[in-house]
Amino acid sequence: QVQLVESGGGLVQPGGSLRLSCAASGTVFSNDAMGWYRQTPGKQRELVAGINGGKTNYADSVKGRFTISRDTAKNMVYLQMNSLKAEDTAVYYCLVRRWFDGMDIWGEGTLVTVSS
């Protein structure tokens, strides 16, 4: 059973940077997709960035500012967030999507607050 633990959230001023980390325990296959989603109160959870094999994809709102990366050997996925804006404030969730059955596994989330 895979479990995900996010870290790295916190309070940052507009224009600042944060790096989120997601540690996966259990077996995560290299073919499993991983990603970051975020959610604000009253809104649906939305994809921020995904990585699958050597391919990455990003929400339009974060392109050029956020970078997703993965260390398969360490079962880690990261989200480097630069030039943060107030509208990036959200709870950020890590996701693993298993390649063989499409099941989604979620972390508990980490809060990012962008405010002066």
Side-chain angles (χ1 to χ4, degrees):
Q1 181 74 15
V2 174
Q3 291 186 316
L4 305 174
V5 178
E6 302 96 336
S7 60
L11 174 64
V12 63
Q13 292 187 341
S17 297
L18 280 177
R19 188 193 194 210
L20 304 184
S21 299
C22 174
S25 62
T27 301
V28 178
F29 298 99
S30 58
N31 287 344
D32 293 337
M34 298 188 77
W36 289 93
Y37 281 69
R38 66 187 180 188
Q39 189 170 24
T40 54
K43 293 189 177 181
Q44 285 192 329
R45 199 170 292 188
E46 64 173 1
L47 174 68
V48 176
I51 186 165
N52 191 0
K55 297 181 180 180
T56 58
N57 61 292
Y58 298 91
D60 288 342
S61 59
V62 307
K63 282 181 182 176
R65 301 188 297 122
F66 290 12
T67 303
I68 188 171
S69 61
R70 180 175 180 176
D71 186 331
T72 304
K74 295 182 179 179
N75 275 355
M76 298 286 295
V77 64
Y78 307 97
L79 185 68
Q80 178 66 43
M81 306 186 294
N82 298 328
S83 302
L84 283 160
K85 306 175 181 179
E87 50 263 43
D88 295 318
T89 295
V91 177
Y92 285 71
Y93 297 90
C94 178
L95 165 79
V96 168
R97 179 165 294 157
R98 301 196 310 199
W99 70 271
F100 55 92
D101 62 4
M103 180 177 177
D104 288 343
I105 301 167
W106 295 94
E108 293 295 316
T110 185
L111 176 63
V112 172
T113 303
V114 183
S115 176
S116 56

